[in-house]
Amino acid sequence: NAGVTQTPKFQVLKTGQSMTLQCAQDMNHNSMYWYRQDPGMGLRLIYYSASEGTTDKGEVPNGYNVSRLNKREFSLRLESAAPSQTSVYFCASSDPDRGQGGELFFGEGSRLTVL
Amino acid sequence: GEDVEQSLFLSVREGDSSVINCTYTDSSSTYLYWYKQEPGAGLQLLTYIFSNMDMKQDQRLTVLLNKKDKHLSLRIADTQTGDSAIYFCAGGGPGGGNKLTFGTGTQLKVEL
């Protein structure tokens, strides 16, 4: 049971380059999320998808786009990377209809450096 | 939006109790959570408390919720070296669902 799988785990980009972070979950969860983690700032929500076919902005959406390709997959795209986007990115999924408000299940993270 | 604050570091000796504190601004969260992040890994749910509870105990973990002061704490009894990690508190935002707001994280270091 893989849970939440993110690729790539590490990436170095030059300013202005584009890239897509991929995320897939095999738990049949309705909701998926992208967070970024920066030192001293905790996790901040970039975008989320409450269900297949819907996406909404989180706290820090500028510079990012997302696609909920199907129920399993939720990708995050940086069209023109900036050094301020150097961070660790986490994908997560949940099913809010389950008990305890729907626990978030996280991937292992993707460490992105923009030079 | 909600603000969730935690102290950044805590150091304890093995066998002692650890208490990690969290304050939040939004009292509409239905659940409040504690997540643990080990080095190089994603976050994993440790425990949670429903907002109408004051306390929850789960083996070595005790969660206390003071709704009046909007204060949440996690006590780890008999702290072990394997407990060294970053601990995040999180609360559900208004509108429900799982758009959790996370605290800044507390790095717990357990010394021998």
Side-chain angles (χ1 to χ4, degrees), chain A residues 48-70:
Chain A
Y48 68 100
S49 171
S51 61
E52 185 179 355
T54 69
T55 61
D56 286 287
K57 295 178 181 179
E59 183 186 352
V60 288
N62 291 345
Y64 305 94
N65 285 301
V66 290
S67 296
R68 182 75 182 267
L69 303 168
N70 47 56

Tab-separated table of all heavy atoms in Angstrom, chain A residues 48-70:
chain	number	residue	atom	x	y	z
A	48	TYR	N	-5.743	23.334	-3.109
A	48	TYR	CA	-6.352	22.085	-2.737
A	48	TYR	C	-7.452	21.729	-3.730
A	48	TYR	O	-7.915	22.583	-4.501
A	48	TYR	CB	-6.889	22.129	-1.298
A	48	TYR	CG	-8.058	23.054	-1.091
A	48	TYR	CD1	-9.366	22.572	-1.046
A	48	TYR	CD2	-7.866	24.418	-0.920
A	48	TYR	CE1	-10.439	23.417	-0.845
A	48	TYR	CE2	-8.934	25.270	-0.725
A	48	TYR	CZ	-10.215	24.765	-0.688
A	48	TYR	OH	-11.270	25.609	-0.495
A	49	SER	N	-7.839	20.468	-3.671
A	49	SER	CA	-8.905	19.963	-4.524
A	49	SER	C	-9.832	19.148	-3.643
A	49	SER	O	-9.469	18.083	-3.165
A	49	SER	CB	-8.316	19.091	-5.634
A	49	SER	OG	-9.338	18.429	-6.348
A	50	ALA	N	-11.026	19.683	-3.421
A	50	ALA	CA	-11.970	19.002	-2.529
A	50	ALA	C	-12.495	17.715	-3.139
A	50	ALA	O	-12.839	16.764	-2.421
A	50	ALA	CB	-13.126	19.935	-2.176
A	51	SER	N	-12.570	17.684	-4.457
A	51	SER	CA	-13.033	16.476	-5.139
A	51	SER	C	-12.552	16.542	-6.576
A	51	SER	O	-12.117	17.592	-7.061
A	51	SER	CB	-14.557	16.363	-5.078
A	51	SER	OG	-15.145	17.470	-5.720
A	52	GLU	N	-12.671	15.423	-7.263
A	52	GLU	CA	-12.252	15.361	-8.667
A	52	GLU	C	-12.989	16.430	-9.457
A	52	GLU	O	-14.202	16.586	-9.328
A	52	GLU	CB	-12.574	13.971	-9.209
A	52	GLU	CG	-12.080	13.721	-10.612
A	52	GLU	CD	-12.417	12.318	-11.084
A	52	GLU	OE1	-12.944	11.531	-10.276
A	52	GLU	OE2	-12.146	12.024	-12.252
A	53	GLY	N	-12.239	17.197	-10.233
A	53	GLY	CA	-12.852	18.216	-11.073
A	53	GLY	C	-12.909	19.595	-10.460
A	53	GLY	O	-13.311	20.555	-11.117
A	54	THR	N	-12.499	19.722	-9.191
A	54	THR	CA	-12.503	21.039	-8.543
A	54	THR	C	-11.139	21.349	-7.953
A	54	THR	O	-10.454	20.462	-7.442
A	54	THR	CB	-13.538	21.109	-7.402
A	54	THR	OG1	-13.112	20.265	-6.328
A	54	THR	CG2	-14.906	20.675	-7.868
A	55	THR	N	-10.751	22.622	-8.057
A	55	THR	CA	-9.526	23.084	-7.401
A	55	THR	C	-9.782	24.468	-6.833
A	55	THR	O	-10.586	25.238	-7.390
A	55	THR	CB	-8.323	23.143	-8.357
A	55	THR	OG1	-8.605	24.058	-9.413
A	55	THR	CG2	-7.994	21.772	-8.936
A	56	ASP	N	-9.105	24.779	-5.733
A	56	ASP	CA	-9.267	26.088	-5.105
A	56	ASP	C	-7.940	26.577	-4.553
A	56	ASP	O	-7.080	25.772	-4.186
A	56	ASP	CB	-10.287	26.028	-3.966
A	56	ASP	CG	-11.699	25.933	-4.461
A	56	ASP	OD1	-12.210	26.952	-4.965
A	56	ASP	OD2	-12.276	24.824	-4.373
A	57	LYS	N	-7.814	27.902	-4.483
A	57	LYS	CA	-6.592	28.494	-3.963
A	57	LYS	C	-6.525	28.346	-2.449
A	57	LYS	O	-7.533	28.421	-1.750
A	57	LYS	CB	-6.533	29.983	-4.321
A	57	LYS	CG	-6.433	30.240	-5.811
A	57	LYS	CD	-6.437	31.733	-6.099
A	57	LYS	CE	-6.352	31.990	-7.600
A	57	LYS	NZ	-6.370	33.440	-7.923
A	58	GLY	N	-5.286	28.167	-1.987
A	58	GLY	CA	-5.041	28.162	-0.558
A	58	GLY	C	-4.471	29.494	-0.126
A	58	GLY	O	-4.833	30.553	-0.651
A	59	GLU	N	-3.556	29.441	0.821
A	59	GLU	CA	-2.995	30.656	1.406
A	59	GLU	C	-1.961	31.327	0.502
A	59	GLU	O	-1.861	32.559	0.481
A	59	GLU	CB	-2.354	30.282	2.752
A	59	GLU	CG	-1.772	31.426	3.545
A	59	GLU	CD	-1.037	30.941	4.792
A	59	GLU	OE1	-1.109	29.726	5.110
A	59	GLU	OE2	-0.385	31.764	5.446
A	60	VAL	N	-1.170	30.521	-0.235
A	60	VAL	CA	-0.053	31.080	-1.018
A	60	VAL	C	-0.066	30.548	-2.456
A	60	VAL	O	0.857	29.872	-2.891
A	60	VAL	CB	1.299	30.787	-0.330
A	60	VAL	CG1	1.473	31.630	0.916
A	60	VAL	CG2	1.438	29.286	-0.008
A	61	PRO	N	-1.091	30.878	-3.268
A	61	PRO	CA	-1.202	30.280	-4.606
A	61	PRO	C	-0.380	30.967	-5.706
A	61	PRO	O	-0.190	30.384	-6.781
A	61	PRO	CB	-2.687	30.439	-4.906
A	61	PRO	CG	-3.051	31.718	-4.189
A	61	PRO	CD	-2.224	31.722	-2.933
A	62	ASN	N	0.107	32.175	-5.454
A	62	ASN	CA	0.751	32.936	-6.528
A	62	ASN	C	2.001	32.231	-7.042
A	62	ASN	O	2.865	31.826	-6.277
A	62	ASN	CB	1.107	34.344	-6.043
A	62	ASN	CG	-0.127	35.193	-5.807
A	62	ASN	OD1	-1.214	34.855	-6.252
A	62	ASN	ND2	0.041	36.283	-5.084
A	63	GLY	N	2.084	32.118	-8.385
A	63	GLY	CA	3.234	31.481	-9.009
A	63	GLY	C	3.048	30.001	-9.271
A	63	GLY	O	3.947	29.340	-9.786
A	64	TYR	N	1.869	29.472	-8.907
A	64	TYR	CA	1.593	28.039	-9.053
A	64	TYR	C	0.279	27.824	-9.791
A	64	TYR	O	-0.621	28.652	-9.742
A	64	TYR	CB	1.474	27.366	-7.681
A	64	TYR	CG	2.649	27.556	-6.767
A	64	TYR	CD1	2.651	28.591	-5.825
A	64	TYR	CD2	3.746	26.708	-6.822
A	64	TYR	CE1	3.720	28.774	-4.967
A	64	TYR	CE2	4.827	26.885	-5.959
A	64	TYR	CZ	4.805	27.922	-5.043
A	64	TYR	OH	5.868	28.085	-4.190
A	65	ASN	N	0.211	26.664	-10.459
A	65	ASN	CA	-1.044	26.175	-11.005
A	65	ASN	C	-1.170	24.700	-10.652
A	65	ASN	O	-0.163	24.028	-10.414
A	65	ASN	CB	-1.091	26.336	-12.531
A	65	ASN	CG	-1.313	27.775	-12.929
A	65	ASN	OD1	-2.316	28.385	-12.555
A	65	ASN	ND2	-0.380	28.341	-13.671
A	66	VAL	N	-2.399	24.217	-10.635
A	66	VAL	CA	-2.622	22.809	-10.301
A	66	VAL	C	-3.580	22.188	-11.297
A	66	VAL	O	-4.335	22.879	-11.982
A	66	VAL	CB	-3.202	22.619	-8.880
A	66	VAL	CG1	-2.161	22.946	-7.816
A	66	VAL	CG2	-4.467	23.453	-8.696
A	67	SER	N	-3.510	20.858	-11.352
A	67	SER	CA	-4.446	20.082	-12.166
A	67	SER	C	-4.850	18.850	-11.387
A	67	SER	O	-3.987	18.107	-10.922
A	67	SER	CB	-3.805	19.649	-13.495
A	67	SER	OG	-3.484	20.755	-14.292
A	68	ARG	N	-6.176	18.679	-11.255
A	68	ARG	CA	-6.648	17.411	-10.665
A	68	ARG	C	-7.001	16.529	-11.851
A	68	ARG	O	-8.089	16.581	-12.406
A	68	ARG	CB	-7.879	17.662	-9.787
A	68	ARG	CG	-8.392	16.396	-9.102
A	68	ARG	CD	-7.505	15.986	-7.963
A	68	ARG	NE	-7.915	14.771	-7.322
A	68	ARG	CZ	-8.713	14.707	-6.257
A	68	ARG	NH1	-9.215	15.827	-5.727
A	68	ARG	NH2	-9.027	13.549	-5.722
A	69	LEU	N	-6.059	15.722	-12.238
A	69	LEU	CA	-6.158	14.951	-13.487
A	69	LEU	C	-7.247	13.892	-13.406
A	69	LEU	O	-7.930	13.604	-14.386
A	69	LEU	CB	-4.804	14.309	-13.771
A	69	LEU	CG	-3.633	15.313	-13.859
A	69	LEU	CD1	-2.293	14.594	-13.845
A	69	LEU	CD2	-3.775	16.186	-15.086
A	70	ASN	N	-7.394	13.287	-12.265
A	70	ASN	CA	-8.428	12.281	-11.998
A	70	ASN	C	-8.484	12.144	-10.473
A	70	ASN	O	-7.831	12.933	-9.765
A	70	ASN	CB	-8.078	10.949	-12.677
A	70	ASN	CG	-6.634	10.558	-12.439
A	70	ASN	OD1	-6.201	10.466	-11.290
A	70	ASN	ND2	-5.877	10.369	-13.508
